[in-house]
Amino acid sequence: MLRTIDSLTETNRMKLILFGATGHIGRGILDEALARGHDVTAIVRDASRLTLQHDRLHVAVGSVEQTAIWLAYAKHADAVIASLSARRDGDQEVIPAAAQTLLDTLDGTHLKRLLWVGGAGSLEVAPGVKVIDDPHFPAAWKPEAQAQARALDVFRASKADVDWTYISPAALIEDGERSGSYRVGGEQLLVDGKGVSRITVADYAIALLDQLDNKDVFKKRITVAY
């Protein structure tokens, strides 16, 4: 069943901190969170890029590295969601660095839940063979895929007291319908009956936010696709 604000009880509603709300996937997550009745504090570097107005949306200017800014909102939050990209900066090292900063900062606070929008490049297509190893993998995508793989390494090596979940999308994540249908996998790339690995942004957002409700995957990478 698709979740809407009418189907939520007061105890289901959460206060979320969202990094990357002006990005493609981040905006999909924001829309889904608001549709479910959650309160969202979007931490953005450029507030002019987020024109949406909503009575349960608060926008604050800042970044992952500016911990004092978002920690002020973290006092009352239930979870942090990070949908980050370094395409604008051209420095992919900010991705694993942001993962480390979030883990280090949340460690020792009351706020333990962290959901990370990961990459598909580190998923396996065969034992020991990753998506990024395919010779046809687009060269333009490799830097970000490699950065997301390093971020996953950061999570796996961390001893922080943080309940993180790294959520890899399908190989192709694109605009499209919000069906509420998806499958959950582990380390292997999920493909449909035609051998295609895909999911829409809207259904990826549903899958990610469902993880907040399910509370059954901690300190682990999962993948979602059709």
Side-chain angles (χ1 to χ4, degrees):
M1 180 181 72
L2 291 183
R3 296 294 186 90
T4 67
I5 185 171
D6 294 330
S7 67
L8 289 176
T9 66
E10 197 63 38
T11 56
N12 293 133
R13 295 174 184 171
M14 302 183 197
K15 296 183 183 296
L16 308 176
I17 294 175
L18 173 61
F19 293 96
T22 60
H24 196 192
I25 298 175
R27 179 55 191 268
I29 294 169
L30 173 60
D31 290 343
E32 179 65 24
L34 293 174
R36 292 179 181 222
H38 298 315
D39 296 300
V40 181
T41 296
I43 310 296
V44 300
R45 290 186 296 174
D46 182 358
S48 68
R49 296 184 63 214
L50 185 57
T51 58
L52 175 67
Q53 295 186 352
H54 196 286
D55 58 2
R56 280 180 281 101
L57 171 63
H58 177 75
V59 180
V61 176
S63 65
V64 170
E65 293 74 22
Q66 294 172 300
T67 57
I69 293 175
W70 59 267
L71 275 176
Y73 302 99
K75 296 176 182 178
H76 307 290
D78 298 296
V80 174
I81 302 171
S83 177
L84 303 175
S85 172
R87 293 188 194 114
R88 291 177 63 199
D89 297 329
D91 179 9
Q92 298 296 339
E93 289 306 312
V94 303
I95 300 298
Q100 190 68 66
T101 297
L102 286 169
L103 289 165
D104 291 344
T105 306
L106 293 174
D107 190 22
T109 72
H110 83 285
L111 184 54
K112 303 299 184 186
R113 194 69 174 107
L114 169 62
L115 292 98
W116 180 275
V117 176
S122 57
L123 292 167
E124 290 188 338
V125 293
V129 181
K130 298 178 180 180
V131 173
I132 198 172
D133 297 330
D134 188 317
H136 300 293
F137 190 88
W141 296 2
K142 277 195 173 182
E144 187 159 9
Q146 291 166 339
Q148 281 286 1
R150 291 194 294 275
L152 180 58
D153 290 340
V154 168
F155 282 111
R156 286 174 167 165
S158 176
K159 303 299 183 183
D161 183 20
V162 178
D163 292 327
W164 58 267
T165 308
Y166 181 110
I167 305 173
S168 291
L172 180 61
I173 181 166
E174 57 191 352
D175 291 330
E177 67 174 349
R178 179 183 183 271
S179 71
S181 176
Y182 62 87
R183 291 182 296 149
V184 178
E187 294 300 313
Q188 288 72 43
L189 184 74
L190 291 178
V191 298
D192 62 19
K194 298 180 180 179
V196 177
S197 177
R198 63 176 291 271
I199 194 167
T200 63
V201 171
D203 282 335
Y204 176 88
I206 289 173
L208 183 144
L209 286 163
D210 281 351
Q211 285 300 314
L212 284 179
D213 296 329
N214 296 340
K215 299 178 182 178
D216 60 353
V217 178
F218 300 126
K219 298 187 177 181
K220 187 177 179 181
R221 186 256 288 277
I222 61 173
T223 184
V224 295
Y226 296 135

